[in-house]
Amino acid sequence: MKYICLGYMDPKKWETMSERERNAMIDECFAYDDVLRKKGHFVGGEALQSARNATTLRWTNGKVLMYADKRTEAIKGALDETSRRRAVQ
C-alpha cells in the first residue's frame, strides 16, 4: 500500500512569518523529505497552488468526477495521470 502525505500551511500564518521563519520551516520540510528518501519512503513531491485555487477530483464507479469551474492544464494532467494509473492497476 502507498500513502500520500499532504502538508498544508495557513496562508494567513505564512504572511505573518518573517523571511527567516519561512526559510527555517521550508528547510525543516526538506530535511524531513531527505529522511523519507533515505528510508525508501519518498516517491516524489510537488508544490500545490493555494487552496483558493483547489479543485476536487473523486474516483467514483470507474470514473473521475471533477468539481471545478474550469478545466485547466493542471486538472487535465491530473485526470490523465489518474487514468494512466488506473489502467496499470
Side-chain angles (χ1 to χ4, degrees):
M1 180 163 296
K2 294 183 181 180
Y3 299 91
I4 295 174
C5 178
L6 175 66
Y8 172 78
M9 179 66 179
D10 182 348
K12 291 178 185 173
K13 179 167 175 70
W14 179 261
E15 292 168 8
T16 66
M17 295 170 72
S18 69
E19 183 176 354
R20 183 173 162 219
E21 290 171 317
R22 290 177 185 177
N23 289 337
M25 188 194 79
I26 290 170
D27 289 345
E28 193 174 330
C29 291
F30 285 152
Y32 185 59
D33 289 349
D34 290 340
V35 169
L36 294 175
R37 201 176 277 112
K38 286 176 187 171
K39 293 183 178 184
H41 300 300
F42 188 90
V43 176
E46 207 53 54
L48 302 176
Q49 291 185 15
S50 163
R52 291 181 290 254
N53 300 329
T55 300
T56 300
L57 300 175
R58 180 167 291 144
W59 184 262
T60 304
N61 298 323
K63 294 185 180 183
V64 176
L65 300 178
M66 178 177 64
Y67 304 91
D69 294 335
K70 59 186 175 185
R71 186 177 176 141
T72 65
E73 284 301 312
I75 292 170
K76 183 181 180 312
L79 291 170
D80 291 346
E81 180 63 13
T82 298
S83 295
R84 184 192 71 76
R85 289 181 183 198
R86 292 290 175 186
V88 171
Q89 291 177 354

